[in-house]
Amino acid sequence: MTKDLAATLTDPAILLAVLVAVAVFATLYTLASPLLERGNLEKRMRAVSTEREQIRARERERMSAEQSRASLRTQNNRSARQIVERFNLRQALVDENTVNRLRAAGLRSQNALNIFLAARFLLPFLFLAVAVTWIFVLGNLEGRPFPIRLLAAIGFAYVGFYLPNIIVTNRMNKRQLSIKRAWPDALDLMLICVESGVSMEAAMRRVAEEMAHQSPPLAEEMVLTTAELSFLQDRRTALENLGNRTQLEIVKSVTQALIQAERYGTPIAQALRVLAQEGRDERMNEAEKKAAALPPKLTIPMILFFLPVLVAVILGPAGIQVADRF
């Protein structure tokens, strides 16, 4: 029965039908996803408000000298927390870069860190079990030597170990791209608010409201920074946290300028105007780099797809006439 099942699963006709079905489903999903997409702005703002309450509770605990190791949100997934604590995964897998990347991806809670560590610990074993079953039990890659099959199984486990990092990096890049595109406009709005006499907290809150639809990640970070400016005793810490959460140099430069203006009493409006222009110039330079790199990238597709068709159109009629004569 196992051989029949393996033969059925490895049948080229069945595999081709499955691939065609997956391709059709992916095409339909791609076409229908924009129509079925719902805005998650309310969910993001609710999460930020929840985190604001956490900041308030944490500051109250610090002022009253009561130490608490976990908040309410860290108890969402007890199984992941138990795995992390049992195998001491924080000491083995966590460093400062890991925490910063999770924050840049929008995963700031302790529960997200526990799930990430548990996934990095469990997925290699899961992928290894699937690979061993597919290669050795179902009889795939039978024509290959045993070291090659063993290396393929180990490669699957290696992919499982780095899969959480790939997912986090992809989410971080999307958030950073959204923030980078909307950051110069946010600085212009903040500049208008500051020049009109509004405080920094009120300016950030107003910018978050205006930029919520253009860049929800930026609005989320602005609201969280406003909450930290309201509840943290050191305003410098709140501004530095904004740069650490986004992991963007353009944001860190603005936060450093705001820290210096707060410390030495220099005008904020001029610094914001210069930084907004620099961010806009950097965005234009990136667009020009992409436009300059486009012709070399189009060379191979044109050679493979355009030139054969052109040659067929030009030489096709002549070839047909020569074939008719001879």
Side-chain angles (χ1 to χ4, degrees):
M1 182 176 180
T2 304
K3 294 182 178 180
D4 296 337
L5 179 60
T8 303
L9 294 177
T10 56
D11 188 4
I14 295 178
L15 293 177
L16 181 61
V18 171
L19 292 177
V20 170
V22 172
V24 171
F25 176 76
T27 304
L28 293 177
Y29 178 77
T30 303
L31 296 176
S33 58
L35 301 177
L36 301 177
E37 186 177 0
R38 297 180 180 179
N40 56 354
L41 179 61
E42 296 181 357
K43 183 178 179 180
R44 289 175 178 269
M45 291 305 176
R46 194 181 305 113
V48 171
S49 62
T50 304
E51 194 153 354
R52 179 174 180 175
E53 296 298 328
Q54 289 181 357
I55 295 174
R56 178 184 299 177
R58 187 166 62 246
E59 289 302 309
R60 288 178 178 176
E61 291 174 359
R62 188 185 60 80
M63 293 176 62
S64 61
E66 296 179 359
Q67 298 180 354
S68 177
R69 298 183 59 184
S71 62
L72 292 177
R73 290 182 66 181
T74 59
Q75 300 176 0
N76 292 338
N77 197 324
R78 294 183 179 180
S79 58
R81 180 165 55 89
Q82 291 175 357
I83 293 174
V84 171
E85 293 177 354
R86 182 174 181 179
F87 295 96
N88 198 13
L89 297 180
R90 289 191 182 92
Q91 185 176 359
L93 300 177
V94 175
D95 55 2
E96 185 177 358
N97 188 24
T98 302
V99 177
N100 290 334
R101 288 172 64 250
L102 287 174
R103 291 176 179 174
L107 306 173
R108 295 178 293 270
S109 65
Q110 190 67 29
N111 183 48
L113 179 60
N114 292 334
I115 294 176
F116 174 76
L117 295 177
R120 291 200 67 185
F121 179 73
L122 296 177
L123 285 181
F125 298 102
L126 179 61
F127 275 57
L128 181 61
V130 172
V132 169
T133 304
W134 186 73
I135 295 175
F136 295 100
V137 177
L138 297 179
N140 293 283
L141 302 179
E142 291 182 352
R144 302 292 182 179
F146 178 77
I148 299 298
R149 291 188 290 172
L150 182 61
L151 183 62
I154 296 175
F156 272 95
Y158 188 80
V159 171
F161 181 75
Y162 281 97
L163 183 60
N165 282 336
I166 296 173
I167 295 174
V168 171
T169 301
N170 185 23
R171 181 168 179 175
M172 179 184 69
N173 292 335
K174 289 181 179 180
R175 285 176 57 88
Q176 287 181 344
L177 180 61
S178 176
I179 293 174
K180 286 176 65 176
R181 287 178 176 176
W183 186 249
D185 298 333
L187 290 183
D188 289 336
L189 292 175
M190 190 181 300
L191 174 62
I192 295 173
C193 294
V194 170
E195 287 182 343
S196 62
V198 180
S199 63
M200 187 185 302
E201 293 86 345
M204 286 189 176
R205 189 180 300 110
R206 182 63 179 177
V207 170
E209 294 176 357
E210 296 294 333
M211 302 298 296
H213 296 284
Q214 181 178 353
S215 176
L218 179 57
E220 182 180 354
E221 297 297 338
M222 285 289 187
V223 173
L224 186 56
T225 304
T226 304
E228 290 183 346
L229 288 173
S230 302
F231 296 109
L232 293 180
Q233 291 184 351
D234 191 3
R235 297 169 62 87
R236 178 177 180 178
T237 304
L239 295 175
E240 288 179 349
N241 289 338
L242 176 60
N244 294 331
R245 287 194 306 268
T246 57
Q247 292 292 303
L248 290 173
E249 293 298 329
I250 56 175
V251 179
K252 290 182 180 180
S253 61
V254 173
T255 56
Q256 290 298 325
L258 294 177
I259 290 172
Q260 292 179 2
E262 186 79 15
R263 182 176 181 180
Y264 299 108
T266 57
I268 302 177
Q270 185 177 359
L272 290 177
R273 185 179 293 106
V274 174
L275 291 171
Q277 185 62 36
E278 289 181 357
R280 195 173 289 105
D281 293 339
E282 183 178 358
R283 187 172 60 180
M284 182 61 66
N285 291 333
E286 290 181 357
E288 291 177 354
K289 288 180 181 179
K290 291 182 179 180
L294 189 60
K297 292 180 180 179
L298 290 177
T299 302
I300 296 178
M302 289 182 65
I303 293 175
L304 293 178
F305 301 106
F306 182 74
L307 290 181
V309 176
L310 183 62
V311 171
V313 171
I314 295 175
L315 299 181
I320 293 173
Q321 292 179 3
V322 172
D324 292 338
R325 290 184 180 183
F326 292 98

